[in-house]
Amino acid sequence: MTILVTGGAGFIGSNFVFHMLEKYPDYRIVCVDKLTYAGNLSTLKDVMNNPQFRFVKADICDRQAIYQLFEEEKPDIIVNFAAESHVDRSIENPEIFLQTNILGTQVLMDACRKYGITRYHQVSTDEVYGDLPLDRPDLFFTEETPIHTSSPYSSSKAGADLLVLAYHRTYGLPVTISRCSNNYGPYHFPEKLIPLMIINALADKPLPVYGEGLNVRDWLYVEDHCRAIDLIIHKGTVGEVYNVGGHNEMKNIDIVKLICEKLGKPESLITHVADRKGHDMRYAIDPTKIHRELGWLPETKFADGIEKTIQWYLTHREWWEEIISGDYQKYYEKMYGGREQFMV
Ligand code: NAD
Ligand code: TDX
């Protein structure tokens, strides 16, 4: 069995590579990644010498490179994590999101049609459903919730999902889609809420909470997401969408306060800054289908997962210090410099 994992040098993709190599020692795992700002080869250093693993630097939009890889490896299953993944960046520059997230998906699926595969799995997101109001805690996203996106990022992911389902219906491509809630855990890129707050707090820097911080996200430990995808590619029904989430809704402000408490830092570091444009209020997944059909349940409680995650950032300083010493400084200055002045 050969599995082609795209975006495997990023946060969730790398955790999935580790999960698969450990659980299925006889599988061949081929990782293709463009190594954008979000992809780090240092993340994969522990598996680089594993004879069952191969890393290939390539862009999923590069049809020739992808076709050549399919010819060489003849993968059975494709799991597509490769994407531009940060909502704030999509608001600044949508184009690369449309290229990678939609056109890259198309190239991968064309390769699947040309060379033949047993499964194409698209790693999607709960953001394709838009958001839920804060005053309706009884509402959750199910697989039947209409697509209703807010940001260029979520629109690009939704566009890809529709294309994946179209390739199934039109060409009979054996596809599955997972739509997961917010992940957290090791190797989460520092631009995202949880690692950003841990890293800033450790440096006693301001903790930039967008608006009042009342927005709710439904947090899932990354390993639980990887187990869900593992189940879907092995036992999921072709043509189906599976929502993945652990019923762990938290307000942003409460997450940031918890990180302060865990690190022994004062809440006075919290700085309310100008809100994200089009900021989604609440995400909340109903994971009934994946539980009922595939027996999936989350295993890591948030209290344990956040503890493990903070410990990981404390013991892997070299990983994130290298990242934040480079272009990330320019990004941070562009996104957050002067943002407090615009707070309303
Ligand atoms: P990430 O930004 O950490 O990693 C993305 C990876 O894709 C990077 O290694 C990057 O180099 C690679 N990549 C980007 N463009 C590429 C291209 N054109 N060709 C090849 N490789 C390319 O993202 P993540 O948080 O690990 O998310 C992975 C996937 O999961 C994405 O599809 C995202 O939409 C989805 N997702 C993420 C979350 C979350 O909370 N992080 C939740 C639900 C779904
Ligand atoms: O500095 C910050 N301050 C802040 O208040 C950052 C970076 C974020 N936030 C808020 C915005 C969101 O309400 O925290 C929340 C989480 O933000 P992100 O970490 O950027 O995640 P989100 O926008 O929810 O999207 C994530 O989950 C769904 C992933 O980045 C997506 O790839 C995934 O599809």
Side-chain angles (χ1 to χ4, degrees):
M1 170 77 82
T2 297
I3 303 192
L4 184 68
V5 178
T6 72
F11 166 44
I12 310 174
S14 62
N15 278 281
F16 184 74
V17 165
F18 304 147
H19 168 90
M20 295 302 281
L21 284 171
E22 195 178 320
K23 187 160 168 204
Y24 305 100
D26 54 331
Y27 282 16
R28 178 168 173 76
I29 306 293
V30 179
C31 167
V32 55
D33 198 297
K34 184 184 174 183
L35 297 180
T36 67
Y37 79 91
N40 283 286
L41 264 193
S42 69
T43 301
L44 295 170
K45 67 178 183 334
D46 290 346
V47 295
M48 277 301 191
N49 293 326
N50 185 326
Q52 296 296 87
F53 179 74
R54 178 184 175 198
F55 177 81
V56 178
K57 182 176 187 299
D59 185 338
I60 57 165
C61 301
D62 182 344
R63 192 172 287 272
Q64 210 186 338
I66 294 300
Y67 283 12
Q68 190 186 325
L69 188 59
F70 270 67
E71 269 188 36
E72 284 169 20
E73 294 288 348
K74 306 197 170 29
D76 301 287
I77 297 177
I78 317 304
V79 183
N80 182 25
F81 290 93
E84 288 293 332
S85 69
H86 194 35
V87 173
D88 292 326
R89 288 185 192 252
S90 84
I91 294 167
E92 293 297 305
N93 179 19
E95 191 156 337
I96 185 71
F97 285 74
L98 306 187
Q99 274 166 12
T100 288
N101 299 2
I102 302 177
L103 297 179
T105 296
Q106 184 210 1
V107 168
L108 290 172
M109 291 194 299
D110 284 345
C112 291
R113 288 184 59 213
K114 185 170 159 76
Y115 295 98
I117 42 97
T118 58
R119 182 67 64 85
Y120 174 86
H121 182 75
Q122 178 74 359
V123 181
S124 185
T125 169
D126 60 358
E127 297 198 20
V128 301
Y129 299 121
D131 64 352
L132 296 164
L134 289 181
D135 61 357
R136 290 293 307 274
D138 56 314
L139 295 181
F140 296 91
F141 298 138
T142 73
E143 290 79 2
E144 273 69 51
T145 301
I147 301 286
H148 186 80
T149 57
S150 311
S151 69
Y153 162 72
S154 54
S155 304
S156 69
K157 294 296 290 185
D161 281 14
L162 295 176
L163 198 61
V164 170
L165 294 172
Y167 268 57
H168 172 62
R169 175 158 174 165
T170 307
Y171 306 117
L173 196 71
V175 307
T176 39
I177 296 177
S178 52
R179 293 182 180 146
C180 189
S181 59
N182 286 59
N183 285 212
Y184 69 101
Y187 300 107
H188 205 177
F189 195 81
E191 69 192 348
K192 307 284 171 38
L193 179 77
I194 289 182
L196 186 145
M197 296 300 166
I198 295 172
I199 289 168
N200 278 19
L202 285 172
D204 297 307
K205 282 175 61 177
L207 306 177
V209 170
Y210 298 166
E212 292 183 76
L214 299 179
N215 308 66
V216 169
R217 297 292 183 265
D218 184 357
W219 295 94
L220 184 73
Y221 194 63
V222 62
E223 173 67 15
D224 282 325
H225 185 190
C226 294
R227 282 192 309 102
I229 296 172
D230 175 0
L231 266 177
I232 296 168
I233 59 177
H234 287 102
K235 298 190 179 139
T237 305
V238 162
E240 292 292 311
V241 174
Y242 293 90
N243 282 356
V244 184
H247 280 304
N248 183 64
E249 292 178 51
M250 290 185 70
K251 292 191 195 96
N252 293 341
I253 188 73
D254 293 339
I255 298 254
V256 180
K257 285 182 180 169
L258 182 68
I259 290 171
C260 288
E261 186 197 315
K262 295 264 177 207
L263 291 174
K265 299 291 180 180
E267 287 184 9
S268 57
L269 286 176
I270 295 174
T271 311
H272 291 273
V273 301
D275 211 346
R276 176 183 277 174
K277 292 188 183 89
H279 200 171
D280 281 337
M281 280 320 295
R282 170 176 170 248
Y283 301 147
I285 281 278
D286 175 353
T288 305
K289 178 174 173 179
I290 189 167
H291 173 57
R292 196 185 52 229
E293 293 186 13
L294 305 180
W296 178 87
L297 277 176
E299 287 178 359
T300 301
K301 291 196 184 72
F302 187 76
D304 300 332
I306 194 72
E307 189 66 45
K308 277 202 272 187
T309 303
I310 291 174
Q311 281 309 318
W312 189 88
Y313 280 87
L314 287 171
T315 53
H316 291 75
R317 276 181 173 267
E318 71 297 341
W319 182 83
W320 53 264
E321 277 176 350
E322 195 188 317
I323 291 171
I324 65 169
S325 67
D327 280 349
Y328 184 76
Q329 293 286 349
K330 284 185 222 147
Y331 164 82
Y332 197 88
E333 184 48 39
K334 184 175 171 213
M335 294 305 232
Y336 295 92
R339 194 165 180 156
E340 282 169 58
Q341 293 160 21
F342 298 105
M343 179 64 197
V344 282

